[in-house]
Amino acid sequence: MTEKLQAIRGMHDTLPDDAIKWQLLEQTIKSTLQSYCYREIRTPILEKTELFSRSIGEATDIVNKEMYTFPDRNGDFLTLRPEGTAGCVRALLQHGLINAGPQRVWYHGPMFRHERPQKGRLRQFHQAGAEAFGIQSAEIDAEMILMCARIWNKLGIKDVQLQLNSLGSYASRQKYRGILVDYLSAHKDQLDEDSINRLTTNPLRILDSKNPEMQALLQSAPPLLDSIDSESADHFATLRALLNSNGLDYEINPRLVRGLDYYNRTVFEWTTDKLGAQGTLCAGGRYDDLVEQVGGKATPGVGFAMGLERILEMTGFSNAELGLNSPQIYQVLVGDAALDNGIKLAERLRDKMPTLRILMHCGGGSFRSQFKKADKSQADYALILGEEEVAKNTVNIKPLRKDAEQYEIHQDDLLDEITNLLQPIQGQTGL
RNA sequence: GUGAGUGUAGCUCAGCGGUAGAGCGCCGGAUUGUGGUUCCGGUGGUCGUGGGUUCGAUCCCCAUCACUCACCCCA
């Protein structure tokens, strides 16, 4: 007997009941970002491995042990993208848009990381993100954060906190790296195994260790914010002032360090305690050196990425919204003449009402059995066509979700009637 | 990559060393062309997979795959 095929570990199917939620979520994000005049960009899921190792950083866990990398038929090494920023930068650079003035773009789609799956962490997961290139000043950092806040608002997500930090310039970060390594080396006997390894590879990451002993040790470490350069400090102050004047709550977290090497200056993270160990809903920051690293001329950048699976866990949708997955009208068709009449009638309705969701009953059966299916379909109305109606060129309309009588109208009046009936029902705008 | 837990019908789960059950769902029916409630009947699983122990395994052991949670990592 052949083995049952199943999806790859950590890669999930999205079935229709869930897919509608994804559509609603994606629609909300898309409309919000577009209201800030961010334009969508789509890049390939597969890139040369080098793009990621150069941008994300050789010393990061993502590049070291989490990428899906394999040789192409010609020997090139390819990688399934673990994040979206690198591909955006590559594409904008390749097509000359980086030098064509400031660019605001957004993307969404699947990302891949070979990690042990758990709640809020899959091997194929989905992110939506925004990036802005060519803008140095802190207004754009503030805009990024405000966009996120607006998305939480639209989705009805309440339990999120904004954490903020500044890493300073590349140079000041290098300087602080030295200071931190000196401090930690002096206390090497107190470091855990992870931290000892990171001392040489990526010492800043020790700052956000979850180990309480490490956190205690770091209490008295020289603070990162004390060593950042004055320009970065000014930039950070401007950002904070803008957030304050827009009434946004945030917490300065001096230990906030991102796992990707390309960040400098502003870093931020939206977190929740409702999701267990994977509480980061969205994270981002500034990456002023990234474009240069990937081979362009120095161009500042800021961006964020949000984890859509995690956001979906935080979101509830109304019955009206979820109802977009079920028909508005169920066509009850009994007899060959009714079938022929009904299919043509439905096509004419769709010509005039492109968003109408009308489900044609297939496979015959008694009125009784067809009504049972109409009910189960969650449709609002049954549109009934039997031999009698066909002969008279009429249809019967039966409301299924409210206490009202069935009535008969001429087929010529059907379009107007349906327009009236469905007007009050929300969700007519297509997704 | 490390640790722990789980895997029985489409779903939620019960069960037992002698080859399985409930509820829900699904299909059909309760005389003429009408759903939701009710009643009746039916469909449904080689007990995740492979091996071992045993006269015999869904149950015990090992391996493997998947899921869940935590570490880790990060969105």
Side-chain angles (χ1 to χ4, degrees), chain A residues 165-193:
Chain A
N165 195 18
S166 176
L167 301 175
S169 67
Y170 181 74
S172 72
R173 201 165 119 194
Q174 290 305 107
K175 192 181 91 188
Y176 179 69
R177 181 188 160 121
I179 295 172
L180 186 66
V181 169
D182 286 348
Y183 171 80
L184 291 173
S185 301
H187 301 81
K188 202 164 182 175
D189 52 318
Q190 295 172 51
L191 294 179
D192 63 17
E193 199 186 324

Side-chain angles (χ1 to χ4, degrees), chain A residues 51 89 112-113 213 237 252 258 319 321 356 364 418 423:
Chain A
L51 173 64
V89 171
F112 302 84
R113 292 182 200 171
E213 292 172 30
I252 303 290
R258 315 279 24 270
N319 287 338
E321 289 172 312
L356 177 67
I418 289 179
Q423 207 116 56

Side-chain angles (χ1 to χ4, degrees), chain A residues 160-315:
Chain A
V160 279
Q161 291 85 40
L162 173 60
Q163 298 192 29
L164 209 58
N165 195 18
S166 176
L167 301 175
S169 67
Y170 181 74
S172 72
R173 201 165 119 194
Q174 290 305 107
K175 192 181 91 188
Y176 179 69
R177 181 188 160 121
I179 295 172
L180 186 66
V181 169
D182 286 348
Y183 171 80
L184 291 173
S185 301
H187 301 81
K188 202 164 182 175
D189 52 318
Q190 295 172 51
L191 294 179
D192 63 17
E193 199 186 324
D194 257 1
S195 302
I196 289 174
N197 289 334
R198 283 188 181 139
L199 203 52
T200 48
T201 57
N202 203 346
L204 289 198
R205 292 307 317 280
I206 300 175
L207 286 179
D208 64 3
S209 165
K210 275 188 195 167
N211 185 340
E213 292 172 30
M214 292 305 101
Q215 284 302 324
L217 178 62
L218 289 162
Q219 283 296 330
S220 37
L224 167 65
L225 282 171
D226 286 1
S227 3
I228 71 175
D229 54 293
S230 65
E231 282 164 19
S232 294
D234 289 347
H235 190 274
F236 194 41
T238 307
L239 171 61
R240 284 179 348 219
L242 287 169
L243 295 180
N244 291 339
S245 71
N246 278 281
L248 236 66
D249 284 332
Y250 57 86
E251 181 193 334
I252 303 290
N253 177 355
R255 305 239 203 290
L256 181 62
V257 182
R258 315 279 24 270
L260 290 72
D261 276 358
Y262 51 62
Y263 288 107
N264 69 306
R265 289 200 173 169
T266 312
V267 289
F268 62 89
E269 211 168 280
W270 292 90
T271 58
T272 179
D273 55 9
K274 304 290 177 203
L275 250 37
Q278 310 299 323
T280 303
L281 290 183
C282 171
R286 188 162 269 282
Y287 41 84
D288 297 325
D289 305 308
L290 178 59
V291 172
E292 208 171 354
Q293 267 171 52
V294 177
K297 69 179 185 193
T299 306
V302 222
F304 65 76
M306 39 182 73
L308 299 185
E309 280 82 0
R310 293 177 188 180
I311 291 169
L312 212 51
E313 293 252 324
M314 300 286 291
T315 310

